Amino acid sequence: MSRRFCQALDLVDDPALIEEYQQHHRQIWPEIATHLRQYGIQQMEIYRLGNRLMMVMETTDDFDGGLFERRSLENPKVGEWEALMWKYQRPTPWTPAGEKWVEMTRIFSLAEQP
């Protein structure tokens, strides 16, 4: 069993910067992949439409988002990656101040339909 999180974030609306961002994600730094997996993230996909991103993250049932966030802040390589990514990323209009990726609200599930 796993848990799914869907989150949104915007990119700087500049085609050259968007291409750079995508290049970075064709193969992320190995330390970042290790960090994600170490704290229970089993799968992660990012989708783009224009400059809007949607991330789908599958985690273990016992995934602790608070612990993951604290460990991420303590990890210098993760900090370096996040600082680099912020060159390309922008909060959505609905993102609380000081946050990046924000969880989306699920409004439909075919599995729950008769």
Side-chain angles (χ1 to χ4, degrees):
M1 194 85 182
S2 63
R3 294 170 53 201
R4 177 181 299 147
F5 298 86
C6 296
Q7 299 177 315
L9 180 71
D10 284 347
L11 292 173
V12 174
D13 196 8
D14 177 306
L17 290 177
I18 290 172
E19 180 54 33
E20 282 182 37
Y21 183 82
Q22 291 182 158
Q23 285 285 348
H24 284 295
H25 283 81
R26 287 193 177 94
Q27 183 155 1
I28 64 171
W29 299 349
E31 300 91 345
I32 302 306
T34 297
H35 178 77
L36 295 171
R37 291 180 180 120
Q38 180 179 3
Y39 291 99
I41 298 173
Q42 299 173 318
Q43 174 64 297
M44 181 182 284
E45 296 177 334
I46 299 175
Y47 297 86
R48 180 178 72 84
L49 176 65
N51 70 322
R52 175 79 27 99
L53 299 176
M54 182 186 78
M55 177 170 58
V56 180
M57 186 171 70
E58 300 280 341
T59 72
T60 57
D61 280 336
D62 61 350
F63 174 75
D64 182 336
L67 175 65
F68 175 72
E69 186 173 333
R70 288 190 303 279
R71 295 298 185 258
S72 295
L73 291 171
E74 296 168 357
N75 184 313
K77 200 66 173 178
V78 172
E80 185 181 346
W81 174 262
E82 289 300 327
L84 174 62
M85 292 302 104
W86 200 239
K87 171 183 176 182
Y88 310 102
Q89 299 169 332
R90 293 294 176 263
T92 72
W94 309 280
T95 302
E99 293 186 30
K100 280 176 107 172
W101 289 96
V102 290
E103 190 158 354
M104 300 174 79
T105 302
R106 185 180 76 166
I107 62 166
F108 174 79
S109 170
L110 180 60
E112 296 173 356
Q113 301 299 309

